[in-house]
Amino acid sequence: MSTLGDAVFAAVTRRGLEITSAQAEEILESVGISTSATMGIPVRLRARRLHFSGTKKLTASETVSPDPIEASADRGVDDATADTASDRPINHESTQDLHVPFSFDWILGTGIHGIGSGRNLRGKSSVLHLLNWALTGRSHLQPDIQSWMEQVEVEWSIDSARIQVKFTVNNSVPEGTVAQLDEIDGKDRRTVLGTFTSAEEFEAVMGNLMLERLRLDPIAMWGNDQETSHRWPAYAAALTIRADQLDPLIGNEGVLATRMLQRFTGTSWAAAAAQAQTALRAIEYRTEQATERADQVARATSAVRRAAEERVIRARELVATFGEERPGIDELITLTSEAHQLAQHAHQLELELMTARTTAAQVSDQLKAERSRRNSLVEDALARLFFNSMEPTVCPRCTAAVTKERRKAEPESHACSLCSSELDLDALKEDVVVASSVPESARTEMVTSAGVATSAGDGEQSADPLVALEEAASRANSAVADLEAAYSDAAARRDAATVRAQDGQGLIDSAEARQQAVVALARAEGHLEALSGPESDEVPQEDPTTSAVVESAKLLLAKWLKEDQDPRLKLISDQIADLARSFGSDNINGVTLLGNANLRVSKGGTVANYGAITGGEKLRLKIATSVALITYGYNEGIGRHPGLLFIDSPASEEIPEDDLRTILKALDEVASTTGIQVFVGTRYGSVLTELLPCDRVRVAEGDDFVW
């Protein structure tokens, strides 16, 4: 059994939980909580050599500008845009684009190293970025400067091991190897530890290598509803202090500051405490999610039940709307057949009626025609009779007088008294005056007409077609009337039968609809019955044994961590105060470094938190805190800080010259006793050359460039 396992077993047993020590140990292992303390022993990380080369690609506007740096500043370039390492001056009168090769090489040792220039944007920050690129695999160079790079080589020492990071840059993409160098017979033998062909692979290789070689644990954290693991880039970020990024006190991410402090102070149970807190937060999160899901299910179930009850009510109301009458199928068939037969009979009568009406119309038309013809004959006969009885006195053409002698001569001479034409003797016998030259048909018609007129005038009746037609018309009209009566009766009986058949079909349809409504009601009642069980108030929870074990582990580890860390924080706080005063903050009476990585500063009889002090004071205290952590680890032989520090002062937050001089002097004294390695980038190059040996300084004077 482990120390933590025994303590957790005892704690949960006191709470009344039945569990064995083996079960407690197994639970701790299953949730990822380390059961043993990890004493932090510092591993020294130092840069031994930096080399990079490539070709600057300057545009015509940059090469002809009286101040090429102003042009680069306008483009947002962070670093140098020209090269002085090869002592090749730029031709400011050229109008062509210029490609300038460069090569930078620097052998590095312990202590303070300075990179400076007389002006900003002269390449000092690029040197720091290149070191960090080779340290983490992540590049923070400006895109145009990164495109200039062709070869980069950095040699690191991790305790006694020499690690070479060497890569080429093609179209800004790194490709190279990480190797260990071992000197054999005066020559370096390279053992490749990893290769990479992309930025992602480069970062992965360096992350795995550095965590393993520096004996650093991934930092477990809970954030954004999931467990995350912060690895080497998070540690590496804590090695850089920028004058424009002074919050938090340790590193650059507030959520990691506490974890970083625990590791840099070498607290034995730091990793296990972080793991326990993360594991407990994960359990709490899952419980919260389960509770929320249970609430959602309960709300959904209640809503479903209400909907089911409403469906039952609606189904019952629908069933109640149907009557109980049920027509027989045979009766419906009989009604339908009767309606069909009556419809056929009515249709046949309708056809016969149409035929009778047509016949009656035809007879009526014939009767009308005959009557019209008879009237015409009578009128014509009467006219002829009238004209035959006339005795004209003059000729209607020449007005010559018709003499009595000529009229008397007609019976004797058989000649017309008017025109002297020969008369038809037979017609004349009938008192019809007609010339013998008139065609026989016309003569006969005139004789006949005279007879008709005479007969009509005499009132004599004779049988003719007119009477037959009148009788036929009467019979036809009578037949039409009979058929109309028969059809009207048949249509009425047909319509009544159709209504009876339709009513029967409606009852059938209603019965089917009622049956469907009954089925729907049964289903709704069944669904409601299935939902009518008691609602479960039980909320799914994590295994209570696991929760109890993890919670006990968290409480125990937090207690042990505090007991282990507090004495160390007191010693480190005293060192921070001493360093801050040596950096020029003479008004600081004392500081208290808290376990949450905050700092209480006592000065002038008042106490202020780190976040409330001025920027200059923050800078001194942040540097002092990092150096104190390194020094403590060096003196006590514990802690995880690798003893490497980068201090970058960009133009917007440049450290005042006098303050920088004071800080550098104090840092140099600390470095001489602890062997720390610090890189300082500043535009006060003269201060660097004044205080540091020439081999530890790269300074560009005036308008010159660092590389």
Side-chain angles (χ1 to χ4, degrees), residues 126-165:
S126 296
V127 175
L128 301 180
H129 290 331
L130 282 161
L131 285 169
N132 272 282
W133 193 7
L135 183 64
T136 64
R138 288 185 180 181
S139 172
H140 296 285
L141 292 169
Q142 290 291 335
D144 56 346
I145 295 177
Q146 183 167 327
S147 70
W148 296 347
M149 297 298 162
E150 297 171 3
Q151 297 282 343
V152 179
E153 180 181 344
V154 179
E155 183 179 329
W156 302 98
S157 65
I158 302 177
D159 279 348
S160 59
R162 296 165 57 201
I163 304 298
Q164 181 193 60
V165 180

Side-chain angles (χ1 to χ4, degrees), residues 325-372:
E325 187 177 358
R326 301 289 186 275
I329 299 299
D330 292 341
E331 181 182 355
L332 177 62
I333 293 174
T334 300
L335 290 173
T336 303
S337 176
E338 180 183 355
H340 179 68
Q341 291 175 357
L342 289 173
Q344 286 183 326
H345 178 62
H347 180 66
Q348 182 63 36
L349 288 176
E350 184 178 17
L351 294 177
E352 293 177 2
L353 177 59
M354 291 173 61
T355 302
R357 284 173 176 169
T358 301
T359 302
Q362 291 174 347
V363 172
S364 177
D365 290 342
Q366 292 175 0
L367 178 60
K368 290 178 181 179
E370 180 62 21
R371 285 175 176 169
S372 176

Side-chain angles (χ1 to χ4, degrees), residues 312 315 319 515-529:
V312 169
V319 171
Q515 182 62 29
Q516 292 176 355
V518 170
V519 172
L521 174 60
R523 290 175 178 172
E525 290 175 338
H527 187 206
L528 178 60
E529 183 179 357

